[in-house]
Amino acid sequence: MLYLHVGLPKTGSTFLQDELFPVLPQVNYVGRPDYNLLERRNAYDKTTLSRFFDRSPCVWSGHGDDLLENLQTEDEFNADKKQLISDENALTGGINDPYRIGEHIKRISILTEKRSLSPLKVLIVIRRQDTWFASAYAETSYRYVGASQPHWESWIDERLSKSHSYYAGPAVKLKYNTLYSEIEKNIGQSNICMLPYEMLKRNQHEFYENILEFFGVKSNKNNFIKEIEKSKKKNVSKISDNSWSLGEASSWRSKEVVFRPGRLFSSLNLPRGVCLWYDDNKRDDKIELTDQISSRIKKEYSDENARIDNRLSVNLKKYGYY
């Protein structure tokens, strides 16, 4: 049996990977495999699973058997145990909408059945879209020139714009009902567990109960939960409800100016461009998720969230999803 925890990013994955998954009974926890089966193509291709998911689902026909072969030859591999891969990078980069993700899961499921690793089970931790966007912006803010409250608000405008970045970035991936439906079509409802990050933050005991049930842990559950709740790392990324600190960046930025036509400058033994430096001092140290921004984001996803809430065993409405 193969379990995949594929994120989402910014949903407590580090805690799950460091504290919870390694001590699950009868589970061979692989973590993020790094088998170098595919060459790194861009900044998002950090791990084996992220490289697979960032490509066409056809990649599983060409290299899927190699990935599972490597998994089954791990030193810790035990056929009597459940196998667990956890890699939130799978859903991080690339134009990876719910339909493509569902197709990836379908191809993996076919391979796991072929190699006696079925059924395939998928765990996804979701997060309220407004706080997810704020957290994602704060984490990547070191990249942005003039990272600030106004820039954050314009960044949201672009992400939610149907004619700009909505279908080419993370926004379309945050349609949780569509994502659930596409995965369900391929592996069935009983093989999916979708839990809210807010439950992990506010109702840890309930979150652990759901995890243990999904992994089929039936005995000594209370003792197991007590040990996990002693962890000093369970309150990872403690922040205020509505503000996020921005990442530090150099106060000086560079921009390359390319001269055209380049061949002319080369024929004169002159450089084809120059690097100009400028002061990037118009940065804020934090952003706020205002009521106006939050309402706008939640309105975009309210129908999706209400629909998925009717299908899950948890109550998303009490966590403010709609």
Side-chain angles (χ1 to χ4, degrees):
M1 186 180 299
L2 177 62
Y3 285 81
L4 287 183
H5 166 240
V6 289
L8 296 169
K10 311 304 298 174
T11 59
S13 297
T14 300
F15 166 71
L16 296 177
Q17 292 160 351
D18 290 351
E19 302 295 318
L20 182 57
F21 292 156
V23 294
L24 281 171
Q26 290 303 302
V27 170
N28 175 35
Y29 173 51
V30 181
R32 300 187 187 99
D34 187 7
Y35 298 140
N36 293 320
L37 300 173
L38 300 170
E39 292 184 6
R40 184 166 180 164
R41 195 170 62 86
N42 55 44
Y44 296 110
D45 282 346
K46 299 176 182 178
T47 60
T48 296
L49 216 58
S50 68
R51 294 176 192 180
F52 272 73
F53 273 76
D54 194 35
R55 288 159 173 79
S56 162
C58 297
V59 70
W60 295 98
S61 299
H63 293 282
D65 270 320
D66 295 332
L67 191 155
L68 295 183
E69 177 69 28
N70 276 270
L71 173 67
Q72 292 180 294
T73 54
E74 290 267 359
D75 291 339
E76 298 83 4
F77 182 84
N78 183 335
D80 295 329
K81 288 187 174 183
K82 298 155 186 162
Q83 314 304 316
L84 169 59
I85 294 176
S86 173
D87 191 349
E88 71 280 11
N89 294 305
L91 305 188
T92 298
I95 304 172
N96 217 344
D97 62 55
Y99 302 97
R100 277 187 58 176
I101 293 169
E103 185 63 26
H104 276 284
I105 296 299
K106 174 183 177 181
R107 302 294 183 99
I108 302 171
S109 178
I110 293 171
L111 286 170
T112 55
E113 185 173 0
K114 173 184 170 183
R115 299 187 71 92
S116 300
L117 286 169
S118 60
L120 174 67
K121 292 180 173 284
V122 176
L123 169 64
I124 297 179
V125 182
I126 60 176
R127 182 172 181 170
R128 219 175 70 189
Q129 290 91 344
D130 56 340
T131 66
W132 189 94
F133 274 122
S135 182
Y137 178 87
E139 183 180 51
T140 58
S141 59
Y142 68 92
R143 305 175 188 168
Y144 307 134
V145 175
S148 59
Q149 186 71 21
H151 184 268
W152 144 244
E153 294 181 13
S154 65
W155 186 88
I156 283 294
D157 289 341
E158 292 178 359
R159 296 305 179 279
L160 296 185
S161 170
K162 298 298 199 307
S163 60
H164 198 287
S165 297
Y166 183 89
Y167 296 111
V172 71
K173 284 186 280 194
L174 300 182
K175 296 178 66 171
Y176 299 139
N177 185 66
T178 303
L179 177 60
Y180 186 97
S181 298
E182 290 304 308
I183 296 176
E184 180 188 28
K185 282 196 313 189
N186 295 304
I187 63 173
Q189 184 178 14
S190 62
N191 292 321
I192 310 170
C193 181
M194 184 176 277
L195 297 173
Y197 169 72
E198 293 77 14
M199 181 189 288
L200 175 60
K201 299 295 286 184
R202 303 179 202 173
N203 305 100
Q204 286 101 1
H205 194 96
E206 184 181 359
F207 184 91
Y208 303 144
E209 283 275 6
N210 278 273
I211 290 287
L212 293 176
E213 182 179 348
F214 186 57
F215 280 89
V217 178
K218 298 179 180 179
S219 59
N220 299 319
K221 287 200 295 186
N222 288 334
N223 291 337
F224 178 84
I225 291 174
K226 286 179 182 179
E227 289 301 314
I228 291 297
E229 288 179 337
K230 291 178 183 178
S231 168
K232 296 179 181 179
K233 296 183 180 180
K234 68 175 182 293
N235 289 321
V236 169
S237 65
K238 184 74 172 178
I239 54 175
S240 67
D241 289 339
N242 300 310
S243 62
W244 280 258
S245 298
L246 298 185
E248 294 184 5
S250 171
S251 60
W252 287 92
R253 298 273 185 161
S254 63
K255 182 177 180 63
E256 185 180 11
V257 177
V258 179
F259 303 140
R260 301 293 183 188
R263 285 176 293 179
L264 172 61
F265 287 89
S266 294
S267 65
L268 298 174
N269 292 321
L270 295 173
R272 291 189 175 205
V274 295
C275 186
L276 301 179
W277 290 85
Y278 58 95
D279 191 2
D280 178 25
N281 58 4
K282 295 181 179 180
R283 296 177 61 87
D284 291 342
D285 58 1
K286 68 176 183 178
I287 58 166
E288 291 189 6
L289 179 62
T290 64
D291 290 342
Q292 182 180 9
I293 300 173
S294 176
S295 296
R296 183 184 174 198
I297 297 171
K298 288 165 72 173
K299 182 179 179 181
E300 175 65 41
Y301 295 99
S302 61
D303 288 345
E304 279 273 324
N305 291 344
R307 288 164 63 194
I308 189 63
D309 201 11
N310 291 328
R311 308 175 68 184
L312 302 181
S313 60
V314 297
N315 187 339
L316 296 183
K317 189 170 186 178
K318 76 176 181 180
Y319 295 118
Y321 275 68
Y322 62 100

